[in-house]
Amino acid sequence: MLVSLQLGSLIAPAYACGCGAMVVHRDSEVAVDRETSAVVWDGTTEQIVMRLTVRGNAPDAAWIMPVPHRATVELGDAALFSELKAITAPVTEERHYFWPRDKDWPFGGSGNASGDGAPAPSAAAPVDVVGRERLGPFDVARLAATDPAALEGWLKENGFELPDRLATALTPYVEQKWEYVAVRLAPQEQGSRLSGTLDPLRLRFASDRLVYPMRLSRLAATPQSLDLYVLADHRMEPRGAIGGRPPKVAYAGRVDPAKEPYEALAAVTGGKPVFLTAIGQYFPSPERIDGDHELRATADDTPYRTVVYRDELLTVGGMPAWLLTLLGAAVVVVVALLLVVRARRRRPVPPPPPVFAPPPLR
């Protein structure tokens, strides 16, 4: 039971895009702290560039990624994610308020406020190894399988120990004749443990639709977060929530990598301008995930950028505007009263009416 629970907790990272399954040997532990993906699609070819940050005591681990068509695999450029992060970073704008708040004087504080390829074969041996290579720290096997049990058996024979429920989760992909990229993750130095940020992997395969595999994330034991950079001809959106909360757009805008320049971005887009959409989604109950993300173009390429407001108390010359306003109003009142008093003092006093003596009585 302990082993089963341990393997179940390692099927998906606690903070990840979730498009794969992570497993280790019985006596090892590994966790994926972060999994970041960029998806590039030109209408016929899709690329997924993924980077993992892992920690644990495992000498190696396995990561399984389903793909709709035969994929080529190579090392990616870590600079791509730095460029995408810079492009999509929120902009900060100051927003002023007039009346003091709890942290402002006289309630508190000092008066300054700030807020900080080809399709998979339809008939073949149950498992067909279509390629295997060593890429940096990765031992990559590209597989075509028509039987999930045979797939599981081949992986176990080659050192990948998988829980039974993963074979069940892979069944929809086998039925659709998808292929798989099986990656053995190993540390850079012999004898060390798997930990830290690994080199990114870049997968490329033919696809007439933009799809991001998510089904395996339903095996996760903890809530999942999806952070996805989508690069295409137009602004893209998921067709549905697939069991999570509604996806949210953090950035949308056209980018020309040749003008900035963004060299890593240009390498995956061929130097052509693309529309970049940054999408985030939260899955509080991963077991409800019922499909893969299929993305489509939106009706309009409306740009969007997240704005973070920093609230500042409105000041004039370093003095709070509200205080200056009250002082100014008080001065105006005092001056007005003085003028009234002065005007009254200068007003001439009319003489009393004349007194007429009554005529004498006769």
Side-chain angles (χ1 to χ4, degrees):
M1 182 179 295
L2 177 61
V3 171
S4 176
L5 291 174
Q6 185 181 57
L7 287 174
S9 67
L10 296 173
I11 288 301
Y15 184 87
C17 294
C19 66
M22 178 73 71
V23 293
V24 295
H25 298 292
R26 289 177 178 268
D27 56 349
S28 302
E29 294 182 1
V30 69
V32 179
D33 290 331
R34 190 175 186 88
E35 182 180 341
T36 307
S37 291
V39 180
V40 187
W41 186 61
D42 62 6
T44 59
T45 303
E46 181 174 340
Q47 301 178 65
I48 298 178
V49 185
M50 178 174 295
R51 181 175 63 178
L52 301 176
T53 300
V54 302
R55 57 181 170 83
N57 63 2
D60 60 6
W63 174 71
I64 312 300
M65 172 72 169
V67 289
H69 292 92
R70 185 155 302 171
T72 61
V73 186
E74 59 185 307
L75 289 178
D77 189 349
L80 173 64
F81 299 102
S82 299
E83 295 177 357
L84 292 173
K85 183 178 180 179
I87 295 171
T88 61
V91 294
T92 302
E93 294 183 1
E94 287 190 0
R95 184 171 55 183
H96 294 92
Y97 57 92
F98 185 79
W99 294 110
R101 299 178 179 177
D102 292 343
K103 57 185 176 182
D104 299 317
W105 183 89
F107 307 109
S110 60
N112 292 325
S114 61
D116 299 316
S122 58
V127 175
D128 180 18
V129 182
V130 297
R132 190 161 189 172
E133 51 265 328
R134 179 77 179 189
L135 300 174
F138 307 114
D139 177 14
V140 180
R142 290 175 288 124
L143 314 174
T146 58
D147 179 1
L151 172 63
E152 182 182 27
W154 186 94
L155 292 172
K156 285 184 176 180
E157 290 175 4
N158 286 269
F160 300 103
E161 186 174 2
L162 304 176
D164 293 337
R165 60 179 183 154
L166 180 56
T168 302
L170 290 171
T171 299
Y173 296 118
V174 173
E175 292 175 347
Q176 298 176 56
K177 295 181 172 55
W178 280 37
E179 296 191 1
Y180 312 91
V181 175
V183 180
R184 185 196 298 271
L185 310 176
Q188 295 278 12
E189 297 180 5
Q190 189 71 22
S192 61
R193 299 299 179 180
L194 194 63
S195 183
T197 300
L198 306 179
D199 294 334
L201 279 177
R202 179 180 174 184
L203 288 70
R204 189 186 337 227
F205 50 88
S207 182
D208 58 0
R209 60 193 178 102
L210 181 52
V211 60
Y212 189 73
M214 286 289 296
R215 290 179 187 271
L216 297 186
S217 294
R218 66 180 304 157
L219 302 176
T222 58
Q224 298 290 288
S225 296
L226 169 64
D227 294 304
L228 192 61
Y229 298 107
V230 183
L231 298 133
D233 292 336
H234 301 281
R235 176 171 170 168
M236 307 298 287
E237 64 179 0
R239 290 185 178 273
I242 64 169
R245 292 181 181 173
K248 295 183 179 180
V249 175
Y251 177 90
R254 195 163 295 280
V255 180
D256 188 348
K259 289 184 178 180
E260 297 303 331
Y262 293 116
E263 296 181 0
L265 182 58
V268 297
T269 64
K272 300 178 181 178
V274 292
F275 201 100
L276 169 59
T277 312
I279 301 172
Q281 187 180 13
Y282 183 64
F283 297 88
S285 303
E287 68 274 8
R288 296 182 180 178
I289 297 176
D290 56 9
D292 298 318
H293 259 321
E294 187 171 345
L295 296 103
R296 61 187 177 186
T298 58
D300 301 297
D301 291 338
T302 305
Y304 174 80
R305 188 158 197 170
T306 302
V307 178
V308 177
Y309 291 100
R310 184 176 62 189
D311 291 337
E312 295 281 353
L313 180 66
L314 183 62
T315 60
V316 178
M319 290 288 291
W322 68 268
L323 181 59
L324 293 177
T325 301
L326 292 181
L327 291 175
V331 171
V332 170
V333 171
V334 171
V335 171
L337 291 175
L338 291 176
L339 291 176
V340 170
V341 172
R342 182 178 180 183
R344 287 184 176 181
R345 288 180 177 179
R346 291 187 174 183
R347 185 189 308 170
V349 179
V355 179
F356 296 96
L361 296 175
R362 290 184 182 178

